[in-house]
Every structure is written in C-alpha cells, then in structure tokens.
Amino acid sequence: MKLGARELIFFCVMLGLLGCAYFFVFAKANDKRESLKADIATRQEALANLNHATAGIENLNRKVEELKKAIEFFESKLPAEKEVDKILKEVWQMAEANSLQTQTVKTLKPERNANYSEQPIQMSLSGDFNGFYSFLLQLEKLPRLTKLTNMTLRKIDDRDGEMQAQLTLSIFFEPDAAQATAR
C-alpha cells in the first residue's frame, strides 16, 4: 500500500469533511438536543409542581362533604326559637330535681348570627354542692347545644356542703325564618 499525494489529499479532504460535518451538523444537533433536554426538565418540574399542588383535590371534595354533614349535625341540635322557653323550663326542672333553689333567672339580650342565635341566661342557684354537680352533669348531657360561659361559686359559711352559684348559660337556637330573611 502506497501513500501518494493523491491518497494524502483524499485523506485530508475526508478529515476536512468530517470536521465540517462535526461543526455544521453534529454540534447543532447536540445543541438542539441539550435545549430539548432542558425544556423537558422544565416541563417535568412544572408537572411535578402541579401534581403536588393538586394532590389534595381528591380529598378536598370528601372533606367538603364531611364538613357539610357536620354542619347538618350541629344544625339538628339547634332548637327553633320558639322552643327556647321549653329548654329554659327543662333547665329549671333539672335544678329543682337536684334540690337546688333557683333564686333568679334573667334572660340577657340574644346575639344573632347568620345561621344561629345565642340566648344567654343568668341564673342564681343555691343548695348542696353534690346536687349542683349533678345538675352540671345533666346540663352537659342535654341533647341541645348549650354553653356555660361564666360561673361563680361561693360557699355558705354556716352550713356544711352548701353553696351559692351564679352562672351564665348560653342556649343556641335556630332563628325564625321570618327574622332571618329580614336581615
């Protein structure tokens, strides 16, 4: 095998062709491929962020349904406004059943909200502490929503186990439809 000038020129032309192909074809293709890889990585990151942001969407509908059921449950515990007198009578009878003397009962100004109203009642009771404790336990077990917001206990000095209590009890109720629409 002889290497002459013709073969050497042919070899140099082939090397030149290979170099030109690298700079004009392969380098551009590599740049385009790297650009596409960067674009894919950006889009995959955006997709991952979207998946992370929407991960709780399926649970959100279930949570909304659970909260609606909880609202319905608590609204079922709200008596109508006309039933507040019955609840007050029931509380009074509970106090008497526990040997407590009701000294004063005073209804305060009701507080109206969008879906419920609150009727605070101030009561002054006296009697045996054990009876008062039983009264509080029965009050806690009422099927209606009530809240004891303020309570002051004072021992009666000359009688053992006797006490006087002043308490503010809130009864929650559903406002009348006519008053709710008038707002």
Side-chain angles (χ1 to χ4, degrees):
M1 182 149 123
K2 276 183 165 178
L3 238 108
R6 222 180 350 164
E7 286 84 16
L8 195 57
I9 291 174
F10 179 73
F11 184 70
C12 287
V13 169
M14 290 304 273
L15 280 177
L17 185 62
L18 185 62
C20 288
Y22 175 77
F23 284 112
F24 293 115
V25 177
F26 296 126
K28 286 183 180 182
N30 281 340
D31 289 343
K32 188 173 182 179
R33 187 176 68 214
E34 292 301 321
S35 171
L36 289 175
K37 281 184 178 179
D39 188 40
I40 289 171
T42 304
R43 289 181 186 208
Q44 283 179 336
E45 184 179 341
L47 184 61
N49 289 340
L50 179 65
N51 286 338
H52 179 60
T54 60
I57 292 285
E58 298 93 23
N59 295 336
L60 188 63
N61 289 333
R62 187 171 39 90
K63 286 286 185 187
V64 167
E65 290 302 317
E66 288 175 8
L67 290 174
K68 282 181 181 179
K69 288 178 183 177
I71 288 171
E72 289 174 8
F73 170 76
F74 284 112
E75 283 180 347
S76 72
K77 296 284 186 180
L78 293 176
E81 187 170 5
K82 56 189 168 198
E83 293 181 23
V84 172
D85 293 337
K86 293 177 187 175
I87 295 170
L88 183 57
K89 183 179 178 183
E90 187 178 344
V91 170
W92 189 306
Q93 289 172 345
M94 282 180 5
E96 286 180 353
N98 288 297
S99 302
L100 298 174
Q101 291 78 37
T102 307
Q103 296 169 338
T104 60
V105 175
K106 180 181 174 185
T107 57
L108 304 175
K109 183 180 179 194
E111 298 176 25
R112 304 222 182 264
N113 292 307
N115 296 325
Y116 69 94
S117 293
E118 179 179 351
Q119 175 66 61
I121 301 166
Q122 281 186 337
M123 297 178 76
S124 181
L125 304 168
S126 63
D128 183 55
F129 178 77
N130 291 328
F132 180 69
Y133 182 71
S134 296
F135 168 74
L136 289 178
L137 289 176
Q138 289 174 356
L139 193 64
E140 187 179 61
K141 292 178 184 175
L142 278 177
R144 301 296 185 186
L145 292 176
T146 56
K147 178 172 78 170
L148 190 60
T149 57
N150 191 9
M151 179 172 59
T152 306
L153 287 176
R154 190 171 50 98
K155 181 180 188 252
I156 299 176
D157 292 327
D158 57 343
R159 289 180 273 175
D160 218 18
E162 295 290 313
M163 58 94 223
Q164 185 173 17
Q166 291 184 339
L167 51 103
T168 305
L169 177 70
S170 290
I171 298 172
F172 297 91
F173 60 92
E174 198 171 16
D176 284 342
Q179 289 179 349
T181 56
R183 294 168 126 249

